[in-house]
Amino acid sequence: MSWLPKSPKARRRLWVVMAVGPILALAVGLTLWAMSDGVTFFVTPSEATVEAAPAGRHVRLGGLVEAGSVGRGPDGVVRFRVGDGAATTLVTFKGDLPDLFREGQGIVAEGKFRPDRSFEATQVLAKHDETYMPREVAEKLKARGEWRPEDGSPDL
């Protein structure tokens, strides 16, 4: 064993590192694997492709509620369309909507895409300010050049 250090103290350190290293790597790997279930991706309707947001994956869909698209069914399900200026997505939600939910409002819906590419929301979020735009949506609109900073609203 010529690769081992000659000093007994150094040998002990090497054995401790060799024993602790794999345990530490396993702990880090298990931690990262456990956290992967908690990761929620954000997409806009134009980015919601089958590759970016496959059916069944938990994502956040952000955009503006389209005018004239909100409809309430007798079963308590609310259907509306969310758009970002380039594409729209049909969203269904069963539950209580935020008080400030309305057409033209920026929202973020959490849920999953169905195989037919409609979105089944488990939660709909809206902010208290009437000029609210989800940060991610605002950044996407700015990147496409559709953001008017003088009044804080998107140029759709």
Side-chain angles (χ1 to χ4, degrees):
M1 294 213 173
S2 61
W3 59 272
L4 285 175
K6 293 184 182 185
S7 163
K9 191 174 183 181
R11 260 192 220 138
R12 249 186 318 229
R13 275 192 214 134
L14 180 63
W15 286 113
V16 167
V17 168
M18 287 173 41
V20 171
I23 294 170
L24 184 62
L26 179 66
V28 168
L30 287 174
T31 302
L32 292 174
W33 179 69
M35 286 192 305
S36 68
D37 289 341
V39 174
T40 304
F41 295 100
F42 178 86
V43 294
T44 60
S46 60
E47 297 172 341
T49 62
V50 176
E51 296 82 28
R57 178 192 273 174
H58 194 298
V59 295
R60 288 185 178 144
L61 177 71
L64 298 173
V65 178
E66 287 195 345
S69 70
V70 180
R72 298 179 193 273
D75 54 354
V77 175
V78 180
R79 290 174 178 79
F80 56 93
R81 297 193 74 75
V82 173
D84 63 357
T88 63
T89 300
L90 176 66
V91 178
T92 59
F93 176 68
K94 185 169 185 166
D96 295 329
L97 289 169
D99 291 337
L100 296 174
F101 177 87
R102 64 183 179 279
E103 297 172 354
Q105 176 76 28
I107 60 120
V108 174
E110 291 189 34
K112 299 177 182 179
F113 278 96
R114 294 182 184 144
D116 66 356
R117 300 312 293 160
S118 64
F119 190 78
E120 185 175 353
T122 55
Q123 184 176 20
V124 175
L125 308 169
K127 189 101 171 172
H128 65 282
D129 186 9
E130 68 272 359
T131 60
Y132 172 70
M133 173 72 61
R135 186 188 72 222
E136 295 92 346
V137 174
E139 288 171 0
K140 304 285 182 182
L141 291 172
K142 286 178 186 177
R144 289 200 326 254
E146 297 177 0
W147 180 260
R148 289 186 298 172
E150 63 274 1
D151 65 358
S153 64
D155 185 22
L156 300 175

